[in-house]
Amino acid sequence: MTGEHQTLALLLFSAFVAVTLAITTWVSRERRGSAEEFYAGGRLFSPMENGFALAGDYMSAASFLGVTGLIALFGYDGLLYVVGFLVAWLVVLFLVAELVRNCGRFTLADVVAARMRERPVRIAAGTSSVTVSVLYLVAQMVGAGSLVALLLGGTSEAARAWTVIGVGALMVIYVSLGGMRATTWIQIVKAVLLLGGTIALTALVLMRFHGDLDRLLLTAAERSGHGEAFLAPGLKYGGDWTARFDFISLGLALVLGTAGLPHILSRFYTVPTARAARRSVVWAVGLIGGFYLMTIVLGFGAAAIVGPDAVRGSNAAGNTAVPLLALDLGGGAGSTGGTVLFAIVAAVAFATILAVVAGITLASSASVAHDLYASLRRRGKPRSEVAVARVAAVGVGVVAIALGLLARDLNVAFLVGLAFAVAASANLPVLLYSLFWRGFTTRGAVWAVYGGLFPAVVLVVLSPVVSGSPDSLFPGVDLQYFPLQNPGLVSIPLGFLAGWLGTVTASEAPDEAKHAETEVRSLTGAGAA
């Protein structure tokens, strides 16, 4: 990219960083320093505000960069991510939102511990939440690196690495100073910017084809080099039975994973009532649904206008399809319109990454402080949870930066799919069993978490993602014993099975009184925080 591109994009990005840092500073001066203020923003947000924040939390680099790139490269098969990400919200709306808001205070472990022995349950749920959060953060870091590589012409690996480090440092600042209130306002600002940018690009793509969607799709198929196969299932996931099972595995992970994501669950505690939590989800579904419909147009638009070869040439995983599309729609490289549009899209994408990593870091640091530290600390004078959470934000940031540098050549939507698989395997079974199974026990809860978490992580390590293929993290090593790239098909049933097995083999009897109390609280909100 030209120096003009770089300067304008960096100026716009710097403006967003300045605004968000101003918000964080303002909020940090007004905060009371309590755990409720830091973790839940004082529970003062309206359903509309929280709905925009939920949408901002969810519409990540995987959605804006990764999904669009996969559609541009693989056509119809890339739509699986769009469908999975959107349908997942029905699970959240009907099974999770209100009940979680009524039963917990700040984290997933609060819901489970309400009727179980706290220490083992909090350690298990906290460990799982941190693991999922770090995997999700890695995807955002990879997206940041891809954008900088494009901005600088792909010539400076050092600049790419320093950008990942810079994003990590900013997310630690946001969380440490501002907590949930600052993070929420950053999400709202980011959601408005992202939706505005996506609407503008979608309108330009449709104008290029005079509103004719058939012509858009046929042009995309023609430029793809695959012909009509580009518009039919099977280009990525239909080659053999392994690919088909991978398709099913990914679909399960995407649809079931959202309800187990720690940073999504923590958002339900920022509103005053369960009804407000449900209305927040309705707002989020509307915003997210519109956004994903537009990503379909952008994906096929990138294939038709930029071409898959150019997209793949810029970034093998397709993560730069949207910025390249913006450059072409604005008039091409070297044009003023192309420079401006590219810079705006790059800045919006940076804003997306920063906002999402702030939300995930806050959720993971809350799990460390509220669940792990509170359960493992020794007797004596304990440090405050909020202080521990701030320290934990630094630790999580360092780990995410290191892994982000390692996984820089993988598609961000694919990386998020792994996080969703772990969330669906470890967090969802224990959450649903706790809410709906009267006979569920502490052993069942612990087994459900570890019985989903360990298989999911081990299967990823033994999959083509890590070794044994040219596109893996370690192409020179071959530890590939599991053929699927996404472990959900195996690990999700194992999580549910482990929870059932732990319960039926437990010597302890389920606490009927605590279950009755939890049931009343979850359905009516009586006694909720």
Side-chain angles (χ1 to χ4, degrees), residues 133-206:
S133 298
V134 168
L135 282 173
Y136 211 109
L137 281 171
V138 170
Q140 312 310 313
M141 298 299 185
V142 171
S146 297
L147 272 174
V148 170
L150 177 63
L151 193 62
L152 301 179
T155 58
S156 177
E157 284 294 323
R160 190 172 172 182
W162 278 109
T163 299
V164 172
I165 295 170
V167 169
L170 281 171
M171 78 185 184
V172 171
I173 293 171
Y174 290 148
V175 172
S176 300
L177 292 181
M180 178 59 84
R181 187 175 294 187
T183 300
T184 299
W185 282 112
I186 291 168
Q187 300 288 10
I188 293 170
V189 171
K190 166 258 173 141
V192 172
L193 288 174
L194 182 59
L195 286 169
T198 307
I199 290 170
L201 285 179
T202 302
L204 289 173
V205 170
L206 293 176

Side-chain angles (χ1 to χ4, degrees), residues 284-481:
V285 169
L287 295 169
I288 293 166
F291 171 77
Y292 279 120
L293 287 175
M294 290 187 286
T295 61
I296 297 173
V297 176
L298 296 183
F300 284 111
I305 296 171
V306 180
D309 290 339
V311 171
R312 197 176 280 109
S314 172
N315 181 273
N319 293 330
T320 55
V322 173
L324 290 175
L325 175 63
L327 184 63
D328 201 299
L329 288 172
S335 66
T336 302
T339 299
V340 171
L341 199 57
F342 170 87
I344 291 172
V345 168
V348 168
F350 273 127
T352 296
I353 291 165
L354 279 178
V356 172
V357 296
I360 303 167
T361 304
L362 179 60
S364 57
S365 61
S367 292
V368 171
H370 186 61
D371 299 327
L372 296 178
Y373 172 73
S375 299
L376 295 173
R377 69 186 176 196
R378 296 179 179 178
R379 293 181 180 178
K381 185 178 179 181
R383 298 182 65 182
S384 75
E385 275 191 20
V386 174
V388 174
R390 292 194 177 108
V391 174
V394 178
V396 169
V398 170
V399 174
I401 288 169
L403 292 176
L405 293 173
L406 188 65
R408 60 183 177 270
D409 294 323
L410 296 180
N411 182 275
V412 288
F414 168 74
L415 287 169
V416 165
L418 296 181
F420 272 62
V422 178
S425 304
N427 292 347
L428 186 64
V430 72
L431 182 61
L432 294 184
Y433 279 150
S434 297
L435 291 172
F436 299 109
W437 187 7
R438 181 180 299 273
F440 198 42
T441 63
T442 299
R443 177 191 275 189
V446 174
W447 283 26
V449 173
Y450 292 134
L453 177 63
F454 288 140
V457 172
V458 169
L459 291 177
V460 169
V461 171
L462 299 180
S463 74
V465 177
V466 173
S467 66
S469 69
D471 299 326
S472 62
L473 293 179
F474 304 104
V477 181
D478 190 0
L479 298 174
Q480 180 187 334
Y481 296 101

